[in-house]
Amino acid sequence: MKNELVDITAADAKPDVLRSALTEVLTDASWWYTRAQENHESFLCQWTGQSRDGRKRAEAIGKDPFPWEGASDQRIRTVDEIENDHVKTMLASFFRSRVQAVAMDADDVVRGERATVLLKWVVWGQMRRRLRRELEIAARWRQRFGLSISHICYDSQYRLIEQPIDIAAIAEAVIASTGQPADEAAMGQATEALMLQFEDELLDEQSAELIKTFSPIITAAASRRMVREIRETGTAMLEIPEVYAAQPRWQALLPFVDVFFPMNTDDIQDAPWIAHRELISETDLRARIETEDYDAKWVEEAIKHKGDRWTQSGWADFLRDEIRNERGFLVQADKNLIEIWHFSTKTNGPKNTTAIYETVLHHSVKDGTGKHALQRYDHGKFPYVTHVRENISRTLAESRGIAEIAATWQDAIKTQHDSRSDRTDLSTIPALRVPLRRGLVRPKLGPKAIIPEVKQGEITFMDPPRFDGGSIEIESSTERMVDRYFGRVSASVPPERAVLHAQDLVDGWLLECNECVQMCLQLTQQYMPESIMVRVSGPTPRPQRMTRAEIQGQYDLTIEFDSRNLNEEFVMKKLDAYAKILPMDRQGRVELGPLVEQALQSVDPYLASSSIRSAEAAEQKETDAEMENWKAMVSGIEPPLPDGGGAMNYQLRLQTLMQIIQSNPEIQQMIQQRPILAEMVQNRIKSFEFQVQQGENAQIGRQGAGAVLQEGSY
């Protein structure tokens, strides 16, 4: 479904058009808010009149409860349990998955391997701590509300630092702004003029404006204070923002609460516009004047409206507060934050091209925008990815959450549980049968209580209702329906059906995460300095930093995970199967490297990520090790001879040793002059040749014959 594009140009941001489009969505989304609130309440087991002890109380309900005061009112967390199971599976699949970036150019295999190393370092390394939280939120909202959004951006984190500033520094900056060289004469003139200016209190405002050019976050009051300090002491401390961390950022968002788009959208990349609400501090907003070229006057106006929220988004505000504050507490800190809106808008360009513009607005600032410019990301997409629990129609918003399906089953289980709990209460302390003439007597019930009796047998306990097994059967049958529908592991669900459900959950989730990881790689290639990329992944034939065209189509990314690997028994059976199948490979068609990597990944993904090297790195390690052994022999120390045990590339070791000897005549002469060294070298060569021959003998044993043209035979 293609949506009609909003007509907006680079010269005119048309904030009113964007505000109108957003207002329309807030109205259209009212049905979604109702569903979302019901889903959230089912997940939390919340309803009107709850008490802390899980009992029905007239004080909480506002009327006499049914069937009596103190009757059972338990929270049965079926929806919560299903969501937790799904989220744990989704997180495990992502962090245990096998990721690989394959270069689209078949001749650039090395570059693809380097990109994979870089990607693992950035996403599964540097981003891991924060990503773990955001992934869990995105997964939970996906399963709870049917839909969640991930925002993938390149984030620069700032912190305030202090640096001294004096007349000399100001003079140097003034000269630099004119484009003239800062020679001794120019510096002297500028310094003298500024000293006279700062000594004149009537020129404090002019001097303060000069100081404000040094930092985007300094206020007018702070700059005037610094003028006085420079006049009195010759120097002042200036606060400036400093970038201390820069990397891709993966943030979970809730649709129609944090991020908005037309309700008929079926693919977020086809939406005509997307609006993203952000709460930002005054310090961070001021810093964006310098870092993201925000309009300074607009920023000052927006800061005047701390705590203001778009009143027309009341439904979204209510739902957001419910989700962010599950116990109903208000976030007081939000009152000191500024709400800004990022509109990403598709625009018709020349020759049927489409451009994406970013417009920053504040609802209460009617004049101008914080920023209006082409989107800075070279991948050319909206920086958003949707996570959809199910596809029952083309529209994203139609996807249902777990609670919409399981809420009635949860209520049915609760009803039966409360019924049996109330029956137990009646059996523990049954009601009393008292003659009518003693109706005003209220005997005290409880252990060891003494109840006066006028006539024997006059006061008796009522017989509690006889036990009925139907309640347990109803609850059990309801639980079986839940298990079958969601494919949970249980006696009522065939194992193959449970595996099918789990793999379907994992496949859909990883396919969505694949898009997010792809964007992270593209942003890394666009913004990360080449020096850091080379330090992490090693040099490549061509730079990892890429052009816009290369970023948009350079790598095919795969993220794979077999949900059965979560079962340790299955993993061990799979490894046993590998061991039985490999001897059947009489043509040598199985490449052992990827097989070993996959096997270790199944057993321990964290060990695999830290221990498995690329083929190139493994060969380099073998070469370096044999070089060290040669140095030891030259020093008179004989290294251990290979005994056939452990992992060692004997052929490569032999080639390395022979290359050392044959490449330098001086080495050959040294070996001839040192008999012991010559004997160590000869023994080592014979040992390597023996191990190579043993490997060939094993191959001959499988094939029945050896190759005629062996290397070095003729």
Side-chain angles (χ1 to χ4, degrees), residues 314-328:
W315 278 95
D317 285 334
F318 174 76
L319 184 59
R320 180 194 62 192
D321 291 339
E322 284 290 309
I323 294 168
R324 291 180 59 189
N325 312 290
E326 294 182 351
R327 297 187 180 183

Side-chain angles (χ1 to χ4, degrees), residues 272-275 342-346 356-358 375 382-384:
W273 59 269
I274 299 174
H342 301 263
F343 282 85
S344 298
T345 312
K346 280 187 178 178
I356 297 178
Y357 279 87
E358 180 184 357
Q375 178 181 272
F382 286 134
Y384 302 94

Side-chain angles (χ1 to χ4, degrees), residues 84-341:
N84 283 335
D85 289 344
H86 285 189
V87 170
K88 285 178 173 58
T89 301
M90 294 159 75
L91 293 179
S93 68
F94 180 84
F95 287 108
R96 292 167 175 247
S97 62
R98 180 176 180 269
V99 60
Q100 184 176 14
V102 181
M104 300 301 289
D105 184 353
D107 297 330
D108 204 356
V109 177
V110 174
R111 204 169 184 219
E113 292 179 354
R114 295 291 189 270
T116 302
V117 173
L118 178 65
L119 186 61
K120 290 180 179 179
W121 181 77
V122 172
V123 178
W124 279 264
Q126 300 299 300
M127 296 172 58
R128 187 181 185 91
R129 184 184 66 83
R130 186 168 187 171
L131 178 59
R132 174 65 174 75
R133 179 189 65 186
E134 296 299 324
L135 268 181
E136 180 173 353
I137 295 173
R140 284 193 177 280
W141 287 350
R142 178 190 192 264
Q143 302 307 102
R144 190 180 310 171
F145 303 108
L147 177 65
S148 66
I149 311 289
S150 283
H151 177 222
I152 312 298
C153 65
Y154 199 81
D155 185 34
S156 297
Q157 298 291 324
Y158 297 89
R159 59 187 173 193
L160 287 179
I161 63 172
E162 286 189 335
Q163 70 175 29
I165 183 174
D166 54 18
I167 294 295
I170 299 173
E172 187 176 353
V174 170
I175 295 174
S177 66
T178 63
Q180 299 177 358
D183 54 29
E184 186 176 350
M187 280 293 295
Q189 293 176 1
T191 301
E192 183 178 356
L194 286 171
M195 289 181 65
L196 293 174
Q197 176 180 321
F198 272 72
E199 289 176 359
D200 190 347
E201 295 184 4
L202 297 178
L203 299 178
D204 278 2
E205 289 297 330
Q206 183 177 340
S207 301
E209 288 299 320
L210 273 178
I211 291 180
K212 287 178 67 176
T213 61
F214 281 80
S215 174
I217 65 169
I218 188 171
T219 63
S223 63
R224 289 193 294 269
R225 173 181 53 77
M226 293 176 63
V227 169
R228 294 192 298 270
E229 290 178 0
I230 293 175
R231 181 163 55 239
E232 295 170 0
T233 65
T235 185
M237 298 304 296
L238 174 69
E239 289 184 346
I240 60 173
E242 177 191 55
V243 177
Y244 69 93
Q247 62 186 20
R249 181 182 178 187
W250 191 327
Q251 183 184 18
L253 303 174
L254 190 60
F256 312 115
V257 174
D258 300 312
V259 62
F260 301 77
F261 45 85
M263 292 296 295
N264 64 341
T265 300
D266 64 353
D267 187 331
I268 201 164
Q269 295 301 328
D270 289 337
W273 59 269
I274 299 174
H276 177 187
R277 173 164 55 182
E278 180 186 17
L279 297 178
I280 187 171
S281 68
E282 177 181 343
T283 300
D284 288 341
L285 185 57
R286 289 185 187 277
R288 290 186 184 179
I289 298 174
E290 183 73 20
T291 60
E292 298 189 26
D293 201 25
Y294 277 23
D295 181 76
K297 291 180 62 177
W298 181 89
V299 167
E300 294 302 324
E301 285 298 316
I303 290 173
K304 296 177 183 178
H305 298 280
K306 289 182 182 178
D308 286 1
R309 301 291 179 264
W310 196 348
T311 55
Q312 297 186 42
S313 61
W315 278 95
D317 285 334
F318 174 76
L319 184 59
R320 180 194 62 192
D321 291 339
E322 284 290 309
I323 294 168
R324 291 180 59 189
N325 312 290
E326 294 182 351
R327 297 187 180 183
F329 298 135
L330 294 177
V331 180
Q332 299 298 324
D334 282 3
K335 296 181 179 179
N336 295 320
L337 299 178
I338 301 107
E339 179 188 73
I340 62 175
W341 293 79

